[in-house]
Amino acid sequence: MNKYLKTGGVLLICACAVGILWTSAHHKKDVLNGTQKADAAQAISFPKTYEKQVSDTFTIQADVIVPENFDPSNLHKTTAQIHKIDQEEWKKRFLESGTEYQEHEYEESNREEKRIKGMLYDKADGWQLAVSEQCGALWAAKMDKIINYLIWDYPVSDGYNRDAYPIQGDLSFAKRDDAYQIIAGELESLGIPMKNVEIERCYNLPYQTLAEQEQLAVERGELDADERRTDWSSEDDAYYYYIWQTEQELPVYPCGHIEDMDPENIRGGIECCYSKDGIDYLNVSYWMDFKQEEETLSLLSFEDIIKTVEEKYGDVINDRMMTLNTCRLFEAPIPQAEGSYEVVPVWICKIQDGDMSNPIYLPVNAVTGQEVEELEYE
């Protein structure tokens, strides 16, 4: 009997010892994992600015633009599909209010340079609606209120005038925040999810500035003098919103090719002009439904991204000084199968080539450090 008691005691002591060792080992492992995670998060933090003289003809004086609330240690692999449009809701909102409309089929090129078809609706009271299912594009405008002298797409364009319009303050007909809430509510009712979005920028369009810019357009020969308005008033005040989606706190790059848009002057996936009459202009394109996977991505350090830029431009023989001046981190949907996208974190790097009017844009995969050729024109 004593023999069995002694054996049982030994086994109990051994079991306790194993348990203590197991608990201790796993506690240490958890502590180490926590330390490793903290080290990893610290290792992939990004600077606010980055400066380096690479060669006699290439220098880096870059602003590094990353959202403050972005967590680079917890970025999940993501796929996306174009959000399905409810055409009937849009037709009901913009067309079916008493006046007749005509419909026409039209063709355009999508991001992949493929010809796609859409429907164009012209309404007798001046409204126009265009819908393309294949690229999730919706365009609605009250044609007699289209503001055709806002030249915002390209900073190198003649008459580029974004900077002429204020980005702060409220106009008399409504507060900008209140106007945005109305727009967001309308979009939700039209089937456009507005949960993970951000106002990239909101411009005030005071009538005095609109009148001034119209006169400048006449002087440049872009508008005939007899087309100029003579009755500008505060009734014409409006807000112009650029709204983009965010995915895991990063802005979703809304353009097919980087040459289409400057990273410092991005247009959102939604553009909307709003006045006292309500929505005067609305453009939605490539609005995405995202699906996160369990797998997480490991981003390269910013120094590794810079190496890619240096390898491409550091040894260029040039009689002009090239300057990398902006690097901005986005999530970029890259087309895969029909209607499906792989969402890739991408640095859009802007390089000024001497006094050349058109900058150079280089997209770099934030995970692999490779150039993202899908975002470049062939």
Side-chain angles (χ1 to χ4, degrees):
M1 182 75 174
N2 289 337
K3 175 182 173 182
Y4 292 122
L5 284 174
K6 286 178 182 178
T7 303
V10 170
L11 290 173
L12 179 61
I13 292 169
C14 288
C16 291
V18 169
I20 292 169
L21 289 171
W22 186 92
T23 303
S24 176
H26 280 71
H27 174 70
K28 288 179 181 178
K29 184 178 179 182
D30 290 341
V31 170
L32 286 173
N33 283 341
T35 304
Q36 289 166 353
K37 288 179 181 178
D39 290 343
Q42 184 177 5
I44 55 175
S45 62
F46 303 113
K48 299 285 187 183
T49 60
Y50 191 93
E51 296 186 4
K52 182 179 181 180
Q53 187 69 39
V54 180
S55 68
D56 291 341
T57 57
F58 186 62
T59 187
I60 301 173
Q61 298 176 355
D63 291 325
V64 183
I65 305 174
V66 180
E68 290 187 3
N69 54 351
F70 169 62
D71 181 3
S73 66
N74 191 35
L75 183 65
H76 287 257
K77 185 176 180 180
T78 304
T79 57
Q81 291 185 323
I82 293 175
H83 181 72
K84 186 172 177 58
I85 298 168
D86 188 342
Q87 289 197 44
E88 295 307 312
E89 283 296 328
W90 282 74
K91 289 166 67 175
K92 181 179 177 182
R93 165 64 176 83
F94 292 105
L95 300 177
E96 297 176 5
S97 58
T99 56
E100 294 182 353
Y101 59 87
Q102 297 179 335
E103 50 186 278
H104 319 273
E105 191 174 79
Y106 73 95
E107 286 192 1
E108 65 177 357
S109 296
N110 65 4
R111 285 182 175 180
E112 291 79 56
E113 304 300 325
K114 295 179 181 178
R115 300 298 292 174
I116 58 173
K117 293 182 179 181
M119 292 302 299
L120 179 66
Y121 304 91
D122 282 306
K123 196 178 170 191
D125 64 0
W127 273 100
Q128 189 175 86
L129 172 66
V131 182
S132 174
E133 284 275 8
Q134 290 170 282
C135 58
L138 296 151
W139 186 87
K142 196 170 184 182
M143 299 305 289
D144 63 350
K145 294 196 72 173
I146 282 290
I147 304 165
N148 60 3
Y149 26 81
L150 301 181
I151 307 171
W152 291 0
D153 289 1
Y154 304 100
V156 298
S157 300
D158 290 338
Y160 175 80
N161 59 6
R162 262 201 189 204
D163 295 338
Y165 297 95
I167 57 173
Q168 294 181 341
D170 295 321
L171 295 168
S172 59
F173 73 91
K175 294 182 177 180
R176 60 171 52 207
D177 290 342
D178 294 342
Y180 172 73
Q181 293 302 321
I182 294 172
I183 293 167
E186 281 226 44
L187 285 165
E188 285 279 4
S189 69
L190 291 168
I192 304 297
M194 297 292 289
K195 182 179 180 181
N196 296 315
V197 302
E198 184 176 299
I199 300 174
E200 191 274 329
R201 208 164 295 181
C202 173
Y203 289 90
N204 290 0
L205 309 182
Y207 76 93
Q208 301 96 326
T209 307
L210 292 172
E212 292 168 3
Q213 292 300 314
E214 182 185 54
Q215 176 59 34
L216 291 173
V218 171
E219 294 172 5
R220 290 192 302 269
E222 298 168 2
L223 191 69
D224 292 338
D226 58 0
E227 294 179 317
R228 189 178 60 183
R229 289 187 55 178
T230 58
D231 58 346
W232 287 102
S233 73
S234 60
E235 298 290 297
D236 300 298
D237 288 350
Y239 293 112
Y240 201 98
Y241 295 85
Y242 286 120
I243 304 165
W244 58 20
Q245 287 184 281
T246 59
E247 164 53 26
Q248 301 180 81
E249 308 301 340
L250 287 177
V252 176
Y253 194 67
C255 311
H257 298 101
I258 55 171
E259 289 84 353
D260 290 336
M261 202 61 54
D262 187 280
E264 296 174 277
N265 292 278
I266 286 290
R267 295 184 308 181
I270 292 176
E271 296 180 38
C272 183
C273 186
Y274 185 89
S275 71
K276 71 174 187 62
D277 297 325
I279 292 175
D280 292 326
Y281 173 76
L282 181 60
N283 190 339
V284 180
S285 61
Y286 288 94
W287 208 249
M288 299 285 183
D289 293 327
F290 297 98
K291 182 180 179 180
Q292 290 183 20
E293 300 182 7
E294 290 293 328
E295 181 183 348
T296 56
L297 302 174
S298 297
L299 302 188
L300 293 176
S301 69
F302 190 70
E303 286 73 16
D304 287 329
I305 302 301
I306 290 298
K307 287 178 184 176
T308 300
V309 183
E310 290 180 10
E311 288 172 3
K312 188 171 182 71
Y313 295 108
D315 296 327
V316 171
I317 299 174
N318 201 344
D319 59 357
R320 304 179 300 272
M321 175 60 75
M322 301 176 71
T323 305
L324 172 62
N325 54 31
T326 306
C327 295
R328 191 168 193 174
L329 187 58
F330 292 89
E331 286 270 64
I334 306 297
Q336 304 297 309
E338 188 70 29
S340 298
Y341 293 79
E342 179 185 2
V343 183
V344 177
V346 173
W347 289 98
I348 305 293
C349 303
K350 177 184 175 183
I351 300 167
Q352 186 61 46
D353 186 3
D355 57 0
M356 301 293 286
S357 59
N358 292 313
I360 298 169
Y361 301 102
L362 180 67
V364 181
N365 189 312
V367 175
T368 66
Q370 297 177 340
E371 198 170 338
V372 185
E373 296 180 355
E374 293 90 343
L375 293 178
E376 298 176 306
Y377 285 120
E378 295 182 357

